[in-house]
Amino acid sequence: MKRWHEPKPAPSGASEAGPGGMAERPPVPACPTRRPGRLQRHLLSGEFDQLRDLPIFESNFVQVTRLGEVANKVTMGVAASSPALELPDLLLLAGPAKENGRLQLFGLFPLQFVQLFVHDESRWQLKVKFRTGRAFYLQLRAPPETRDRKFGQWVRLLYRLRFHSAQGAVPFTQEYSALEDDKDEDPRRRV
Amino acid sequence: MTYAYLFKYIIIGDTGVGKSCLLLQFTDKRFQPVHDLTIGVEFGARMVNIDGKQIKLQIWDTAGQESFRSITRSYYRGAAGALLVYDITRRETFNHLTSWLEDARQHSSSNMVIMLIGNKSDLESRRDVKREEGEAFAREHGLIFMETSAKTACNVEEAFINTAKEIYRKIQQGLFDVHNEANGIKIGPQQCISTSVGPSASQRSSRDMGSDSGCC
């Protein structure tokens, strides 16, 4: 089983499989001994057979409003449904269950219907926007000593997803627009 | 939380028939009149009690819109139960059942238990599909049938639980090999361990319910 913990930390050109690359280069973890993330461990626990072997790049976040107010804890990961894929094609969202705080998978979304943006680099914030218009903001949770590096990996991954996608015209860093009609929403829409 | 078995369910059917609302009603006992379109798959889970056994239902709520269908059908595999849902006020959602059923049968175990659900039974004045038509379709294709209302919760518990009962019955009859993961059934852990998956969005024990409820 392939383990894909993190995109390669060094920058790379868009034409080769760097961060987010799935096929051309084995997804060598930046730190080979790193323990699988919470989401990966959750899927490995055996209740999700079909998702058990997905190589996942994941991080813990807090959901924030557009203005930065903190709401829920969210674990977000991107994964490839097949090891043959050059790029990940799935987004997974999970978070603590209301009852006991244990991680619970909320949803699995094809990346072709999701756009990821850098919302505020200085606050390590990403924006997740679904094709339906639903959008929310996530701020990376990581120790200060690794936060910039980790966020940089997400940025490079977003870059690769954007420039390898058919909708290449979509800007990488989304500027705020007064015309924008999306609003803050809870990724855990059932909770 | 320990459980004897875990059953994987899928919920399928046309967009807007109330699949996500059925799940929300079952897991959280609430109704949300306005719901975003589902993209991909959303998950829910709940414990139920069948014949004194704790059973965890892991429910995969799939997108109904045609553009997502080629993706979501890949997740039918390994389901023990399916809720095939149509909207009793929209004839076209009933007309599309054959296509959904073909998909389900093609991409999942032949033993999968399928519950046909005519949802939105609270909208009797706008009914476009007679109950008898649903019953006839179910009879013809070997499905269980119920009309439900995710809004009033009528028959929602019964739909999920009766499907579990039928799966459990098949296990007891030896029709399901519980050691074959392709059948969508897992034997539960012997005891709760700290790294195990959190039980559910809404974890409740349900009493073993009768197969018929006259609320709809």
Side-chain angles (χ1 to χ4, degrees), chain A residues 10-158:
Chain A
S12 64
S15 61
E16 63 182 38
M22 304 299 289
E24 293 171 42
R25 177 184 303 154
V28 179
C31 176
T33 56
R34 189 182 293 273
R35 195 170 174 232
R38 289 184 74 205
L39 181 54
Q40 182 95 60
R41 295 202 304 276
H42 177 60
L43 299 179
L44 282 168
S45 70
E47 291 196 354
F48 290 90
D49 280 339
Q50 278 175 280
L51 311 179
R52 189 171 49 196
D53 294 336
L54 295 183
I56 298 174
F57 173 62
E58 63 171 271
S59 293
N60 296 316
F61 293 85
V62 285
Q63 187 189 359
V64 293
T65 66
R66 186 183 292 175
L67 298 176
E69 294 151 339
V70 173
N72 311 303
K73 288 181 178 176
V74 175
T75 299
M76 179 167 75
V78 293
S81 59
S82 162
L85 290 174
E86 185 180 350
L87 283 173
D89 62 339
L90 296 173
L91 179 82
L92 294 103
L93 291 174
K98 268 192 302 193
E99 300 80 10
N100 51 26
R102 288 180 182 162
L103 197 70
Q104 173 192 7
L105 186 61
F106 297 143
L108 177 159
F109 311 96
L111 271 170
Q112 70 191 90
F113 302 117
V114 185
Q115 290 178 314
L116 298 171
F117 301 96
V118 175
H119 177 59
D120 186 339
E121 196 164 7
S122 66
R123 296 180 181 180
W124 312 280
Q125 289 175 356
L126 301 177
K127 176 179 176 178
V128 182
K129 184 174 183 181
F130 290 87
R131 192 66 66 83
T132 56
R134 188 158 65 110
F136 51 90
Y137 302 88
L138 298 177
Q139 180 169 309
L140 183 69
R141 273 196 306 139
E145 61 272 20
T146 60
R147 196 161 43 202
D148 283 337
R149 182 174 64 86
K150 191 77 177 177
F151 193 75
Q153 290 168 351
W154 276 100
V155 171
R156 282 192 292 278
L157 175 60
L158 267 55

Side-chain angles (χ1 to χ4, degrees), chain A residues 42 45-50 90 99-100 102 104-109 112-113 134 185 189-190, chain B residues 3 8 23 28 30 36 38-39 41-43 56 58 61 68 74 77 181 186 197 199-202:
Chain A
H42 177 60
S45 70
E47 291 196 354
F48 290 90
D49 280 339
Q50 278 175 280
L90 296 173
E99 300 80 10
N100 51 26
R102 288 180 182 162
Q104 173 192 7
L105 186 61
F106 297 143
L108 177 159
F109 311 96
Q112 70 191 90
F113 302 117
R134 188 158 65 110
E185 294 197 30
R189 64 184 193 188
R190 285 207 183 86
Chain B
Y3 49 84
K8 173 182 170 180
L23 176 58
D28 286 29
R30 62 190 173 95
D36 288 321
T38 302
I39 292 175
V41 181
E42 299 198 8
F43 299 95
K56 181 172 180 175
Q58 181 194 79
D61 171 27
F68 305 132
S74 64
R77 187 163 55 84
E181 291 177 349
K186 290 180 124 1
V197 179
S200 65
S202 202

